[in-house]
Amino acid sequence: MIVVMGATGRTGRRVVEGLLRAGEQVRAIGRSEASLAALARAGAEVCVGDSSDAGFLTEAFRGASAAYTLLPYDLRVEDYRAQQARMGEAVVTAVREGRV
């Protein structure tokens, strides 16, 4: 199982589609079930949640042999660097605790 964060974005979607074409099992992570629906129909397991939530990511990463991680960005947030730091820490925790 390979987990892909940002599965509904430009690069994440392409990664998921390429992995599925290659016959890999994929768990696609995104913020919107509706946006993930096409990937689910294509054969991906989908997980809907918040990428800054270490608990959510840990469960999404559990059982994976690899993860494609990226941090979504929103330049409109008040403290962009702090947001990125929180998300980065959540990913690190999830990789460690999910035993990727």
Side-chain angles (χ1 to χ4, degrees):
M1 174 70 67
I2 299 173
V3 176
V4 178
M5 290 180 67
T8 60
R10 269 184 211 189
T11 60
R13 179 175 300 280
R14 289 182 182 192
V15 170
V16 171
E17 292 168 346
L19 289 169
L20 290 172
R21 278 193 306 274
E24 297 289 343
Q25 291 183 318
V26 179
R27 184 173 297 141
I29 297 175
R31 294 177 286 201
S32 163
E33 190 169 350
S35 296
L36 289 165
L39 295 174
R41 286 190 300 276
E45 178 184 326
V46 299
C47 289
V48 178
D50 180 355
S51 293
S52 65
D53 180 343
F56 162 72
L57 287 179
T58 297
E59 288 308 309
F61 285 17
R62 198 170 306 284
S65 60
Y68 174 84
T69 66
L70 54 85
L71 302 179
Y73 61 91
D74 182 354
L75 297 175
R76 297 171 294 170
V77 298
E78 188 170 316
D79 191 343
Y80 175 76
R81 290 183 190 275
Q83 176 201 41
Q84 293 291 287
R86 275 192 309 278
M87 287 184 184
E89 287 300 318
V91 169
V92 169
T93 297
V95 166
R96 185 181 329 113
E97 299 296 321
R99 299 189 177 175
V100 175

